[in-house]
C-alpha cells in the first residue's frame, strides 16, 4: 500500500476513534448547550461564563468548553488564566477548576502566554475542537456550555456535527438594529443544521444611572422583537455595568465578585428560565 494511502487510513481511523470517545463523554453530560451570536463583541463569553457560575450557584455540575480557538477569553473571565491543564495517566485532559467548581477547558490554557496568537488553518481548528471534545475528562456534568466564536462557520458546524445529541443553542445579542440583522443569520443557521434554539438573551440592554433612571443606550426591546418574529423564547436582558469589563480585564469573575449586582441577578433569572425549560423544574439558590 502507498505510504500516503496508509497515512490517510490511519488519520481516518483516529477521527473515528475520537468520534466514539466524544459519544462516550457526552453520555455523561445531561445538557450540552452551544452559545452563539451572529456578531462579535456582544458579550457572548461574558454571558457564557456568568451562566456557568449561576448554574453552579444553584447546585448544578457545570463545565465550560471554550471553542473560540483564535480569541479564547474564557480563562481570564473565569479567573483561571495561567493555570496549567494536566493530563491523567490515561492521557485525558483534566479541566481546570474555576470558582464554584466549574470545570473549564480552553486553548487559552494550553498556549504558553496570553499574547501568543494561535495561527492555524481551518482544518486545524476543527481538529483542535474535536480533540478537546474527545480527550477532556469532564466526568458527570449537568450542563456543558460551549462558547463558540462569533459567526456561523466551520467551528460552529463542527460542534453541532460532533455532539450528535446536543441539547440546543442560546443566542446572545445586543439591542442594536445591526445586531438584529446578524442574529437572524444565527437563527437560520440553527434551523438549517437542526439545532434547537433554547432562547435569546439580550446583553448590554440598558444602563441605570445612580439616580435610578434607565437609559437604553443601543436600542430597546430588540431581543423581544426577535423572539416574537422568529417564535423563539426570550430569556431575559442583562444591563450594562462598567464593572463587568473592569472585572473581565483584571481576571476576577464578575459574577463571583458582584453576586448581588443587577447584572448577576438578571443572569440568575435567565438560568432559572433555562432550567425550567430543560428540566421542567424551578432553579434554586439554596
Ligand atoms: N453587560 C455588559 N456591561 C458592560 N460590559 C460588558 C457587558 N457584557 C460584556 N461586556 C464587555 O464587553 C466586551 C466584550 O465581551 P465578550 O468578550 O464577552 O464578547 P464576545 O461576544 O465573546 O466577543 P468575541 O466576539 O470577541 O468573542 C468585554 O470587554 C466585556 O467585559
Ligand atoms: Mg468571546
Amino acid at each position: 500500500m502507498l505510504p500516503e494511502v496508509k497515512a490517510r487510513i490511519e488519520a481516518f481511523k483516529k477521527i473515528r476513534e475520537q468520534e466514539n470517545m466524544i459519544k462516550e463523554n457526552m453520555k455523561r453530560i445531561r445538557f450540552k448547550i452551544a452559545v452563539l451570536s451572529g456578531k462579535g463583541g456582544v458579550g457572548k463569553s461574558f454571558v457564557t461564563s456568568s451562566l456557568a457560575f449561576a448554574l453552579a450557584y444553584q447546585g448544578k455540575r457545570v463545565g465550560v468548553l471554550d471553542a473560540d480557538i483564535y480569541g479564547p477569553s474564557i480563562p481570564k473571565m473565569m479567573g483561571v488564566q495561567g493555570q496549567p491543564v494536566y493530563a491523567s495517566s490515561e492521557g485525558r485532559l483534566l479541566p481546570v477548576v474555576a470558582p464554584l467548581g466549574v470545570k473549564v477547558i480552553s486553548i487559552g490554557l494550553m498556549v504558553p502566554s496570553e499574547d501568543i496568537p494561535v495561527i492555524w488553518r481551518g482544518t486545524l481548528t476543527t481538529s483542535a475542537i474535536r480533540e478537546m471534545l474527545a480527550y477532556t475528562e469532564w466526568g458527570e456534568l449537568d450542563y456543558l456550555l460551549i462558547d463558540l466564536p462569533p459567526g456561523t462557520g466551520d467551528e460552529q458546524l463542527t460542534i453541532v456535527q460532533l455532539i450528535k445529541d446536543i441539547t440546543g443553542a442560546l443566542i446572545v445579542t445586543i439591542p442594536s438594529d445591526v445586531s438584529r440583522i446578524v442574529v437572524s443569520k444565527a437563527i437560520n443557521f440553527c434551523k438549517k443544521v437542526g439545532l434547537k434554539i433554547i432562547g435569546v438573551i439580550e446583553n448590554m440592554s440598558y444602563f441605570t444611572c445612580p439616580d435610578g433612571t434607565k437609559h437604553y443606550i443601543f436600542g430597546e426591546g430588540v431581543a423581544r422583537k426577535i423572539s416574537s418574529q422568529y417564535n423563539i423564547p426570550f430569556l431575559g436582558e442583562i444591563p450594562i455595568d462598567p464593572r463587568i469589563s473592569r472585572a473581565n480585564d483584571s481576571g476576577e469573575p464578575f459574577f463571583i465578585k458582584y453576586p448581588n449586582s443587577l447584572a448577576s441577578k438578571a443572569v440568575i433569572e435567565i438560568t432559572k428560565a433555562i432550567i425550567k425549560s430543560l428540566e421542567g423544574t424551578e432553579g434554586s439558590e439554596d
Side-chain angles (χ1 to χ4, degrees), residues 41 43-46 66 68 71-74 77 147-150:
K44 183 168 36 60
S45 301
F46 163 68
D66 184 359
D68 195 340
S73 44
I74 286 292
M77 287 189 183
D147 182 22
L148 289 171

Side-chain angles (χ1 to χ4, degrees), residues 34-92:
V35 185
L36 276 178
S37 74
K39 211 167 118 35
V42 298
K44 183 168 36 60
S45 301
F46 163 68
V47 172
T48 308
S49 61
S50 305
L51 291 175
F53 287 130
L55 285 165
Y57 183 61
Q58 293 168 82
K60 306 294 177 192
R61 296 164 302 172
V62 185
V64 174
L65 171 71
D66 184 359
D68 195 340
I69 303 292
Y70 298 114
S73 44
I74 286 292
K76 200 158 190 181
M77 287 189 183
M78 301 199 70
V80 293
Q81 181 73 41
Q83 286 195 26
V85 175
Y86 291 110
S88 71
S89 48
E90 293 88 38
R92 307 289 304 265

Side-chain angles (χ1 to χ4, degrees), residues 50-51 54 238 255 262-272:
S50 305
L51 291 175
I238 303 169
F255 184 88
L262 287 175
S264 295
K265 285 185 175 156
V267 169
I268 289 182
E269 287 312 309
I270 292 169
T271 52
K272 285 184 175 167

Side-chain angles (χ1 to χ4, degrees), residues 67 69-70 122 125-126 129 148-150 153-160:
I69 303 292
Y70 298 114
T125 64
T126 48
I129 293 173
L148 289 171
D154 254 9
E155 287 95 343
Q156 292 78 5
L157 197 59
T158 303
I159 293 278
V160 181

Side-chain angles (χ1 to χ4, degrees), residues 246-265:
R246 282 205 290 272
N248 287 338
D249 287 347
S250 68
E252 292 172 287
F254 175 83
F255 184 88
I256 304 295
K257 197 168 180 193
Y258 303 105
N260 295 318
S261 60
L262 287 175
S264 295
K265 285 185 175 156

Side-chain angles (χ1 to χ4, degrees), residues 99 146 194:
I146 305 159

